[in-house]
Amino acid sequence: MEEFVKAQDLVKYYPVYKRGILLKKQTGAVHAVDGVSFSIAKGQTLGLVGESGCGKSTTAKVLLGLERPDAGHAFVDEKEVHETLDDTNDEKVRRFRRGMQMIFQNPYGSLDPRMTVYDIVSEPCVIHQHIPRSEWNEKVYELLRMVGLEEYHAERYPHEFSGGQRQRICIARALASDPKLIVADEPVSSLDVSIRAQILNLIMDLQKEKELTYLYISHDLSSVRQVSHHVAVMYLGKIFEYAKSEELFDKPLNPYTQALISAVPIPDPKTKRERIILAGDVPSPINPPSGCRFHPRCRYATEICKKQEPPLIDALAKDHFVACHHADKFV
Amino acid sequence: MEDHHILNVHELKTYFYTENGIVKAVDGISFQLGEREIVGLVGESGSGKTVTALSVLRLVPRPGRIVSGKVYLEGEDLLAKSEKEMARVRGRKVAIVFQDPSSSLDPLFTVGDQVQEIIMYHEGMPKKEAVERTTELFQRVGIPEPEKRIHMYPHEFSGGMRQRICIARALALSPKILFADEPTTNLDVTIQAQVLDLMRGLHNNLGMSMVIITHDMGIVADMAQRIVVLYAGNVCEAANTHDLFYSPKHPYTEALLEAVPRLDRHKKLGVIKGNIPNLIEPPSGCRFHPRCPYAKEICSQKVPELEKIDGNHYVACHRWRELALVGGA
Ligand SMILES: Nc1ncnc2c1ncn2[C@@H]1O[C@H](COP(=O)(O)OP(=O)(O)OP(=O)(O)O)[C@@H](O)[C@H]1O
Ligand code: SF4
Ligand SMILES: [Mg+2]
C-alpha cells in the first residue's frame, strides 16, 4: 500500500520559562512530542488516541507544518512538509497547503460569524483559485449537498445553525480546496450522541467517495474505533502502541492501552470486563518519568522500566508495534 | 398506596420565561428513586437533565420557575416547603455534584475551608472537629495525604482531584441522595474510571441513593440499576437497566442505542435524522415525531402518556404495542 503520510521521529519541545525581575530564564521544556513515527496509507485513517496533554494536537500541527519540529521529518505525498513550505515558489507552497486541511472540535469557534455559509465554503476557492470563478457556485452547492445541507443554507449565517450543522459547514469548507489529507481533531467531541453518529458516518462516506486520507485525533476510543483502520496510542509525547484497529482494541499489548480500553464503559449491561483503575494523574510532560514514562502508574513495572525506555517495535506480532519491556506477557 | 421510594418526582414542570418565549425545559417529568438505588438520567443536551436536578433541589436560576408538580422526598413534598425548610434539606438530604469542578469551588479559599465551613455552619461543630471530619471525608474520597491537602487551593489540584473534593463537600452532611450531574464529562477516561469507581464505592459502602446524570449510555449501563431516558423535556422511557438495553420500547431509546459507537465492536452506526428540537416551540404531539422512523398521523396530534407496561417499565409512545424494536446488544 502506498504511504501517503509519514512521520519520522518527530520531536517538539516547548520551552518553559521562569519570569525573573529582568529576564526570563528557561527552566525546562514541555516534551510535547518526543520521537513520534507513524505512516498512513492513501485513503486510510489513522486514529491517534490519548488523554489530554499527551501531544496529539501538537503532532497534528507539526504534520501540517503549523509548528516547526525540533527534529524529525514529516512527509505528505512524498514531499517533506517543512522543506516544501519553505520553498520560495509561492505557487508550489500554496498548492501543497491546499492538499491538507483540518477540522476542529469547536465548529462555532472556527467559523467567522459575519460570513454567510456561501462565503465560508467558497473562501478556499478565493484563496487558492484552483477552480475557475464560473464554477464556484456549482462547487459550493455540490459541497453543501455532499455534507447533507441544502442549497438555501448558503445565504445563512453560522449562528442560525445547530452544532452538528456547523460541523457540516466546516467539513464542506475543508473539502472545498480538494484536499487529499484531512486532520480531524476531536471533530465530534462537542456534539450530541444522535448528531455524532451523523457526522461520523459522513466522515467515513466522504473518505470512500474521495479517497481521502485522515488523521483522526480523539480521546474518545469508541469513535476512534469506529472510523480508524490503524490506531496509535500516545502517552506523554510518545507512541506506546500502534497497530491495526481490531488488533489494538482486541489484543492490546501495552499496559497503558489495556487500562485505557478497560476504562471505557461499554453501553451494554451484560459486558462485564476486568476494570483496571490506574492510580494517580497523568504526570507532567515537563519532566516526564525516567525509563518507560508510564512506569509510576504501571502494575507490571520492574527495575528495567525505571531505567530504560522501551523501544516501539513489532517483535511479537508483525505490524503490531508496542513499547513495553514486558509486552511478551500479554501475547 | 404506600410509596417505598426515597424520591418521587411527579409531573414536574419547570419553564424559563425568556425574552424569546417560554422555554419548556422540563415539561411533565416523573421518575422514582428507590432506597440504595442508582438511577441514570440520560438524554442529549437540552433534554432537561440539569434543570430536573436543580428543580429537585429548588435551585432553578432565573428566569426559570417550577410551574407545577410534586417532589416527594421520604414522603414530604419539597415543592411545598418554605425556603428556610429547604435550606435544611439541601446537603443533609440531597446534595449535588456538578460537571465542572473548577467553577463550583471558590478559588480564594482552601479546599479544606470550603468543606469545614459547611460542617461548622450546619452541624454547629467546633472548628477542630470540623477539620477532623473534613480530613476523614478527603480520605474517604481517595485524596492522598489529606492532612496536607486540606490546606491547598483549588488550582493546586488536577481536574480529577477537584471532582473528588466536590464529592467530599457534597458528602459533608451525610445526605441520603446524591445527584451527580455529568460528574466525569470533562475528565480523561482513566480519571473518569477513578471517579466512577469512587462513586460505586460510596454507593456500596454508605448505601447512598444516587441519580447519575449523563449523556453516556456506557456510564449508565455500568453504574445504574434503572434508567430514565429524557427527550426534549419529557420522559420517553424508564426501565430497569437490563430491560432498557435489551428490550427498549421507545423508538428514541432504540435509535440512541444504535447511534453510539462501541469499543467492543465495529458496526455501521444508525442515524437519527434531523436535530434536537427547540423548546420554545416544541413539536406538537410526541416531541420526537419529526425524527421518528415509526411516526404516524396520531403522533403529531396527541401527546403520548407515560404508560406503565409492566412492573418497572414505563414508556410514552402511541405505537409501543405494535412495534417490535431491537435491543442494543
Ligand atoms: N437559565 C436559563 N435560561 C433559559 N433557558 C434555560 C436556562 N437554563 C436551561 N435552559 C433551557 O432548558 C432546557 C433544558 O436544559 P438543561 O440544562 O436541563 O439540559 P441538559 O439535559 O442538562 O443538557 P446538557 O446535556 O447540555 O447538560 C434547554 O433548552 C436550555 O436551553
Ligand atoms: S409516539 Fe409516534 S412519533 Fe413518538 S415515538 Fe412513538 S411512534 Fe414515534
Ligand atoms: Mg446539563
Side-chain angles (χ1 to χ4, degrees):
Chain A
M1 242 181 297
E2 200 188 326
E3 279 178 0
F4 191 72
V5 173
K6 208 162 149 186
Q8 267 178 356
D9 282 318
L10 293 178
V11 174
K12 178 75 198 173
Y13 285 4
Y14 294 105
V16 177
Y17 297 104
K18 189 172 169 188
R19 217 166 267 284
I21 299 170
L22 289 173
L23 355 138
K24 53 180 190 178
K25 202 170 103 193
Q26 186 178 337
T27 53
V30 178
H31 298 222
V33 174
D34 213 354
V36 161
S37 305
F38 57 80
S39 57
I40 317 176
K42 195 170 173 62
Q44 297 236 319
T45 302
L46 172 68
L48 190 57
V49 292
E51 300 182 271
S52 53
C54 72
K56 306 181 294 286
S57 300
T58 308
T59 303
K61 285 184 201 152
V62 171
L63 177 68
L64 292 179
L66 304 172
E67 289 273 9
R68 195 166 281 275
D70 297 316
H73 293 282
F75 298 91
V76 173
D77 206 2
E78 299 182 337
K79 295 180 202 69
E80 210 290 329
V81 172
H82 296 269
E83 276 169 26
T84 312
L85 294 177
D86 285 343
D87 202 297
T88 46
N89 180 337
D90 286 352
E91 176 49 31
K92 203 169 141 195
V93 171
R94 202 161 340 121
R95 199 167 346 116
F96 187 62
R97 272 219 186 280
R98 181 159 74 78
M100 315 188 288
Q101 293 296 323
M102 194 150 179
I103 305 168
F104 298 95
Q105 171 169 3
N106 176 353
Y108 200 56
S110 45
L111 296 172
D112 184 336
R114 289 157 308 185
M115 286 167 78
T116 63
V117 169
Y118 183 92
D119 293 337
I120 290 169
V121 176
S122 62
E123 193 176 43
C125 303
V126 179
I127 296 173
H128 296 292
Q129 301 286 336
H130 58 296
I131 45 173
R133 190 172 186 126
S134 58
E135 291 171 23
W136 290 2
N137 278 353
E138 188 44 39
K139 179 89 183 170
V140 169
Y141 295 135
E142 186 202 324
L143 288 168
L144 289 181
R145 278 194 300 273
M146 199 177 277
V147 299
L149 293 171
E150 307 285 335
E151 286 191 13
Y152 70 84
H153 286 137
E155 301 319 317
R156 304 210 171 162
Y157 292 88
H159 75 262
E160 299 175 65
F161 293 89
S162 66
Q165 288 173 317
R166 285 177 200 150
Q167 195 57 290
R168 291 175 191 271
I169 299 170
C170 292
I171 294 172
R173 178 180 56 186
L175 293 174
S177 62
D178 294 325
K180 296 186 180 126
L181 169 66
I182 290 188
V183 173
D185 195 348
E186 305 276 8
V188 298
S189 299
S190 62
L191 304 177
D192 264 299
V193 184
S194 69
I195 310 302
R196 213 174 264 193
Q198 296 174 355
I199 301 293
L200 288 173
N201 284 349
L202 173 65
I203 287 175
M204 291 192 287
D205 292 345
L206 289 171
Q207 175 165 57
K208 275 193 215 113
E209 210 173 304
K210 304 192 152 246
E211 223 198 348
L212 295 166
T213 305
Y214 290 135
L215 177 63
Y216 183 93
I217 299 176
S218 181
H219 68 278
D220 171 26
L221 277 75
S222 310
S223 73
V224 167
R225 169 154 208 175
Q226 190 65 25
V227 300
S228 307
H229 301 91
H230 286 78
V231 174
V233 177
M234 264 184 107
Y235 186 75
L236 287 176
K238 289 260 172 205
I239 291 183
F240 269 39
E241 186 159 8
Y242 169 47
K244 275 214 172 89
S245 187
E246 291 96 40
E247 259 300 295
L248 189 126
F249 288 118
D250 297 339
K251 297 188 207 96
L253 294 178
N254 181 288
Y256 175 64
T257 314
Q258 292 165 358
L260 206 55
I261 291 173
S262 95
V264 179
I266 304 289
D268 180 351
K270 275 193 196 158
T271 332
K272 289 284 173 253
R273 299 172 307 158
E274 186 203 6
R275 253 185 221 119
I276 307 170
I277 309 280
L278 291 180
D281 286 313
V282 179
S284 147
I286 296 181
N287 283 311
S290 64
C292 171
R293 294 171 182 210
F294 184 57
H295 87 255
R297 302 173 81 197
C298 181
R299 55 182 174 159
Y300 303 105
T302 57
E303 268 319 292
I304 185 174
C305 306
K306 295 181 193 161
K307 295 197 177 113
Q308 217 173 307
E309 179 139 48
L312 184 70
I313 47 173
D314 68 340
L316 294 166
K318 194 173 173 313
D319 292 329
H320 186 146
F321 292 83
V322 57
C324 171
H325 292 299
H326 300 303
D328 56 334
K329 281 205 182 107
F330 312 117
V331 179
Chain B
M1 184 185 92
E2 207 194 328
D3 186 2
H4 57 282
H5 295 108
I6 184 165
L7 182 72
N8 187 346
V9 175
H10 183 72
E11 287 287 323
L12 179 69
K13 293 190 181 178
T14 303
Y15 295 172
F16 288 87
Y17 296 83
T18 69
E19 280 171 22
N20 300 321
I22 302 173
V23 181
K24 298 181 177 170
V26 168
D27 207 11
I29 284 184
S30 301
F31 72 94
Q32 294 87 29
L33 171 69
E35 192 99 41
R36 293 176 165 261
E37 194 177 37
I38 300 185
V39 164
L41 274 192
V42 291
E44 300 181 86
S45 66
S47 59
K49 306 183 293 294
T50 300
V51 174
T52 300
L54 294 177
S55 303
V56 169
L57 280 120
R58 300 244 318 255
L59 291 173
V60 178
R62 279 170 185 284
R65 194 150 57 78
I66 299 173
V67 178
S68 63
K70 307 266 185 229
V71 175
Y72 293 108
L73 195 155
E74 295 184 315
E76 290 182 55
D77 184 6
L78 297 186
L79 302 188
K81 285 191 181 294
S82 69
E83 184 45 43
K84 206 167 152 202
E85 290 169 320
M86 204 49 214
R88 295 185 55 79
V89 170
R90 284 185 211 117
R92 260 175 228 277
K93 301 257 166 150
V94 212
I96 187 163
V97 175
F98 293 101
Q99 171 172 350
D100 186 2
S102 323
S103 66
S104 50
L105 291 170
D106 189 327
L108 301 178
F109 292 89
T110 67
V111 293
D113 276 342
Q114 304 189 41
V115 180
Q116 271 150 242
E117 191 197 348
I118 295 176
I119 300 171
M120 281 154 59
Y121 180 80
H122 288 272
E123 307 267 6
M125 216 184 249
K127 171 122 187 197
K128 188 158 166 285
E129 282 168 48
V131 173
E132 266 164 35
R133 173 129 173 79
T134 303
T135 316
E136 261 169 50
L137 284 167
F138 275 38
Q139 181 109 43
R140 173 167 291 154
V141 300
I143 296 174
E145 303 178 278
E147 305 81 12
K148 218 167 90 193
R149 302 292 178 106
I150 54 171
H151 302 297
M152 290 165 58
Y153 290 86
H155 75 265
E156 298 175 82
F157 292 87
S158 64
M161 281 294 153
R162 270 184 234 144
Q163 194 56 289
R164 286 176 194 267
I165 294 163
C166 291
I167 294 173
R169 187 180 54 181
L171 298 180
L173 304 175
S174 318
K176 296 238 162 90
I177 304 171
L178 182 68
F179 272 80
D181 188 359
E182 310 257 9
T184 60
T185 301
N186 287 336
L187 304 176
D188 273 318
V189 249
T190 63
I191 309 301
Q192 161 169 295
Q194 293 173 355
V195 172
L196 293 178
D197 199 48
L198 166 65
M199 295 185 47
R200 215 177 279 122
L202 295 175
H203 173 251
N204 293 338
N205 305 332
L206 305 181
M208 188 173 264
S209 315
M210 293 187 185
V211 177
I212 297 184
I213 295 179
T214 178
H215 61 271
D216 187 333
M217 295 300 278
I219 292 180
V220 285
D222 202 17
M223 301 282 296
Q225 280 118 44
R226 274 168 52 73
I227 297 174
V228 180
V229 182
L230 301 186
Y231 184 78
N234 294 148
V235 174
C236 304
E237 182 163 10
N240 292 334
T241 301
H242 180 278
D243 297 342
L244 193 103
F245 277 89
Y246 290 94
S247 47
K249 293 288 180 233
H250 196 284
Y252 178 62
T253 313
E254 177 191 53
L256 210 52
L257 293 172
E258 286 296 303
V260 277
R262 281 175 56 162
L263 193 54
D264 59 339
R265 69 168 187 214
H266 186 94
K267 200 178 139 197
K268 177 127 178 133
L269 300 178
V271 159
I272 306 179
K273 66 182 185 208
N275 287 303
I276 293 165
N278 153 352
L279 294 182
I280 292 181
E281 274 174 90
S284 61
C286 169
R287 290 186 176 181
F288 187 54
H289 89 257
R291 304 178 76 189
C292 180
Y294 308 106
K296 278 198 166 167
E297 224 181 321
I298 182 171
C299 302
S300 59
Q301 292 164 354
K302 197 161 163 268
V303 178
E305 305 250 333
L306 189 64
E307 280 180 73
K308 184 170 187 158
I309 63 176
D310 66 47
N312 234 339
H313 201 150
Y314 296 80
V315 64
C317 167
H318 292 300
R319 304 197 58 206
W320 73 267
R321 267 172 237 274
E322 326 155 40
L323 300 173
L325 305 182
V326 280

